[in-house]
Amino acid sequence: MNWTAAGDYTDIRYELSDDGIAKITIDRPEVRNAFRPETVIELSDAFDKAREDTNVGVIILTGEGDKAFCSGGDQRVRGESGYRVGGTAAVGRFHVTDLQVQIRRTPKPVVAMVRGFAIGGGHVLHVICDLTIAADNARFGQTGPRVGSWDGGFGASVLRDLVGTKKAKEIWLLCRQYDAQEALEMGLVNAVVPLAEVEETTVQWCREMLALSPFALRLVKSSFNAQEDGYAGIQQLAHDTNLLLYGSDEAREGRTAFLEKRQPDFSRFPRRP
């Protein structure tokens, strides 16, 4: 697979295929692709690029090298009020919370391609992606209680939906690690393939989605979020569905009548049972 660089970043790489796939890679292998605020800010920018690019239909999120997808937040820049940009800010914040929401709100499928460790905050990132393809060397787990941290948001709720309440509590309360086959058996990943084949398989899955209706895929993703995210999820689904209405003759009549300063004539449109 040939990838073309499409952005200038320090902590990540943003690349495009010639058939509509964007690949976003956390490029900090020296710390097992742990993210610092700068990393997350760059990830957010890349996801924006992928969303706005009408040639992109599917997004891959991965980590550089074979040893780690992402090992979570870089503890070296963690302060008492969050993670600090440049490691020096007096008050930190959790940039990754906004990124998690952004990944879920991105109206294109996001596929996690996991090699090696997906641990802590990195584990949450793969959990909130729409699909996960794991190499056979992948390892999954949470570390929050080991380092005085936790994730009571998507890291708990979506994980519970994937593997069940008891298993999700086990993952968080014991901080154990699970290999790729165990992850597959508990429903945490979609497929496990040999390490040498993980990108080929991920691209194959992406191409299968590229052959499908992009608007239908958008609504499928919104539909799951509507159930999981309450009012915010319903809002997302409603706005996505409204885009369909905007493109109809019925909506066009309402807009045109307003611009022409006349009463709209909706009589020719069916009142569907």
Side-chain angles (χ1 to χ4, degrees):
M1 183 71 179
N2 294 321
W3 298 98
T4 301
D8 184 17
Y9 298 104
T10 300
D11 285 13
I12 73 167
R13 293 200 314 277
Y14 179 64
E15 300 166 292
L16 300 172
S17 72
D18 58 6
D19 58 353
I21 305 171
K23 183 169 71 166
I24 301 172
T25 305
I26 303 173
D27 190 12
R28 305 185 77 220
E30 70 280 2
V31 288
R32 291 187 174 176
N33 296 320
F35 55 76
R36 55 182 180 169
E38 291 88 344
T39 315
V40 179
I41 291 167
E42 291 185 353
L43 287 169
S44 181
D45 185 74
F47 271 101
D48 274 340
K49 280 185 169 66
R51 176 173 184 161
E52 297 295 332
D53 188 341
T54 56
N55 292 316
V56 170
V58 186
I59 304 165
I60 296 172
L61 177 63
T62 191
E64 174 59 26
D66 297 340
K67 294 183 179 180
F69 168 76
C70 176
S71 59
D74 190 337
Q75 298 301 297
R76 299 174 303 176
V77 296
R78 173 183 161 188
E80 293 183 359
S81 61
Y83 290 81
R84 299 163 295 178
V85 175
T88 59
V91 178
R93 58 172 282 200
F94 289 98
H95 296 78
V96 75
T97 303
D98 295 331
L99 176 65
Q100 292 170 0
V101 174
Q102 181 183 13
I103 290 173
R104 289 172 64 81
R105 281 295 181 104
T106 296
K108 301 173 182 181
V110 180
V111 183
M113 183 173 74
V114 177
R115 296 170 289 202
F117 290 101
I119 299 294
H123 187 259
V124 176
L125 286 180
H126 107 83
V127 163
I128 63 172
C129 288
D130 301 300
L131 300 171
T132 298
I133 310 298
D136 54 10
N137 76 331
R139 294 192 68 82
F140 301 88
Q142 291 298 158
T143 58
R146 288 186 189 274
V147 295
S149 180
W150 70 306
D151 185 334
F154 297 134
S157 60
V158 178
L159 181 63
R160 179 199 59 213
D161 290 343
L162 289 177
V163 304
T165 301
K166 290 288 188 179
K167 197 67 179 181
K169 286 183 177 180
E170 173 192 316
I171 291 170
W172 273 102
L173 293 175
L174 276 70
C175 294
R176 292 176 177 172
Q177 292 183 10
Y178 304 85
D179 63 28
Q181 190 59 39
E182 290 174 309
L184 182 64
E185 291 169 359
M186 72 174 81
L188 190 59
V189 303
N190 297 93
V192 176
V193 299
L195 176 61
E197 300 173 14
V198 67
E199 181 164 307
E200 177 185 354
T201 302
T202 303
V203 168
Q204 175 190 333
W205 283 50
C206 290
R207 285 174 172 163
E208 287 185 41
M209 287 185 282
L210 288 172
L212 304 176
S213 161
F215 216 115
L217 293 179
R218 179 187 188 123
L219 293 177
V220 166
K221 181 168 180 173
S222 294
S223 298
F224 281 98
N225 289 348
Q227 188 275 327
E228 295 171 355
D229 294 354
Y231 285 144
I234 293 170
Q235 180 201 41
Q236 179 182 345
L237 178 60
H239 280 251
D240 285 349
T241 307
N242 204 30
L243 288 174
L244 285 176
L245 178 61
Y246 273 24
S248 70
D249 289 339
E250 188 172 342
R252 203 170 292 119
E253 167 62 15
R255 181 192 64 199
T256 302
F258 177 82
L259 294 175
E260 294 176 352
K261 296 181 171 57
R262 61 174 174 82
Q263 283 292 110
D265 178 11
F266 291 117
S267 61
R268 61 190 174 93
F269 301 106
R271 291 175 171 84
R272 304 179 187 277

